Amino acid sequence: MKYQVNSEGFYGPYGGAFIPEMLHSNIATLTESYQRIINEPAFQKKFHNLLKDYVGRPSPLYHAERLSEQYGTNIYLKREDLNHTGAHKINNTIGQILLAKELGKTRIIAETGAGQHGVATATVCALMGLECIVYMGKTDIHRQAPNVARMKMLGAHVEPALSGSQTLKDATNEAIRDWINHPVDTHYIIGSVVGPHPYPDLVATFQSVISEEMKWQLKEKTGSENPDYIVACVGGGSNAAGAFYHYLEDESVKLVLVEAAGKGIDTGYSAATSVLGSMGIIHGSRTMLMQTEDGQIVEPYSISAGLDYPGIGPLHAHLISSGRAQVFSATDEEAIRAAYHLTRVEGIIPALETAHAFSILDQIGAQPEESVVVCLSGRGDKDLATYIEYLDEQEGNRASHEKTT
Ligand SMILES: *Cc1c(COP(=O)(O)O)cnc(C)c1O
């Protein structure tokens, strides 16, 4: 197994658990017990029952005929946007809330940037009747009012992170501090394949249901379990990890990641970690991250709040540096245009994060007889204001252009 985590918690040189002494007992308990617990038949049964009846899985694999025709290949969309709460994140929070209960925890904490993971966590806490505290940067609380309202309605306590730039990395620091202070009763639900071992593997395992379904769905539709390409956007990398998981060791399946270039890779407003990043330690994991020469984290930027994380999960750092995965990037504008294109051609409004994945489909070189699966990680309701603003600007520009000519 070249690409799976090893017994020390590393993916090649990346990963591990670089944590303060005070977190050791929590992390050690998780590391020792997570595989045993999640592989128990009773756990698997509860997990899969909830995925089926509560989340609505299996999510469809849809053959997008018009898109396929335009790109001259066979494009399939893995419809994670149709899950309860509108994205893939719920797969992980369902798994982790069941794990927390097995561990006897009564209090749940989480960090969130855009609020998507916060909502997915608040949802499963309501479902299980557990106390929920979501740390969120004060800046993000102002930017993401609808998701804050959802979390509150679900009964979560949204705790503002007031340090630093008051965004995701500060919320994560606050959550870690909370966990250090409440080691006995609290489980920390991390929202992507990031953080100290075993989190990247834990989250990837829960998200792997995506590629588990893809295998039989593709077999049914094409006669083969394998596509030629799998394309996914990458913030921390959990939807990509889920879509790649069962294909990692099969190198005939090409893995494609799309990261957010923001306003452009060289503009100083970007989240293209694989190009701008270097090896370092962030949130307990050795991985690729955007940092200054003296190791300060560089604030990332993307129009999509779900992709502006300054690092990338250690699995993906390994896939990229070993050449197993190819990386492309898309700017804000390219992502928005791709979102409009998908909407007008297939009648599906994608999340802004997801739209990045669609913007590079003409660049991968897929042939007419080949097949491409795109992980449609989430729906675009939350991004409507951004989409409409763009359309208004375009129409405004056109109107003023027509006036002057
Ligand atoms: C959070 C989010 C992402 C980015 O997170 P990953 O861990 O990289 O998957 C992508 N798409 C949607 C819809 C999201 O909500």
Side-chain angles (χ1 to χ4, degrees), residues 262-263 301-304 307 330-344 348-360 383-394:
K263 294 183 195 289
Y301 166 84
S302 162
I303 195 168
S304 69
L307 299 186
T331 63
D332 294 350
E333 170 129 18
E334 288 164 343
I336 293 180
R337 276 203 240 115
Y340 271 96
H341 184 232
L342 180 68
T343 304
R344 298 288 167 89
I348 298 170
I349 302 178
L352 252 172
E353 290 82 2
T354 316
H356 287 71
F358 282 89
S359 77
I360 59 88
D383 301 309
L384 267 189
T386 309
Y387 289 149
I388 293 301
E389 201 177 302
Y390 176 81
L391 198 63
D392 287 349
E393 258 170 42
Q394 296 291 301

Side-chain angles (χ1 to χ4, degrees), residues 342-376:
L342 180 68
T343 304
R344 298 288 167 89
V345 173
E346 295 288 347
I348 298 170
I349 302 178
L352 252 172
E353 290 82 2
T354 316
H356 287 71
F358 282 89
S359 77
I360 59 88
L361 289 178
D362 57 346
Q363 296 172 43
I364 57 178
Q367 299 300 306
E369 69 285 359
E370 291 188 314
S371 58
V372 180
V373 175
V374 185
C375 187
L376 215 173

Side-chain angles (χ1 to χ4, degrees), residues 212-245:
E212 190 183 311
E213 291 171 2
M214 273 161 53
K215 284 201 146 185
W216 62 259
Q217 290 172 320
L218 276 168
K219 176 95 184 166
E220 249 176 42
K221 290 192 155 61
T222 68
S224 166
E225 285 187 342
N226 289 7
D228 295 284
Y229 297 85
I230 305 171
V231 182
C233 67
V234 57
S238 68
N239 87 91
F244 294 174
Y245 193 90

Side-chain angles (χ1 to χ4, degrees), residues 314-328:
L315 162 66
H316 297 298
H318 182 45
L319 295 178
I320 293 167
S321 62
S322 65
R324 176 71 186 90
Q326 214 184 342
V327 195
F328 291 84

Side-chain angles (χ1 to χ4, degrees), residues 233-268:
C233 67
V234 57
S238 68
N239 87 91
F244 294 174
Y245 193 90
H246 290 285
Y247 297 103
L248 285 172
E249 310 295 331
D250 187 341
E251 308 220 7
S252 68
V253 180
K254 299 180 195 78
L255 309 177
V256 178
L257 293 164
V258 186
E259 51 187 16
K263 294 183 195 289
I265 287 177
D266 299 319
T267 60

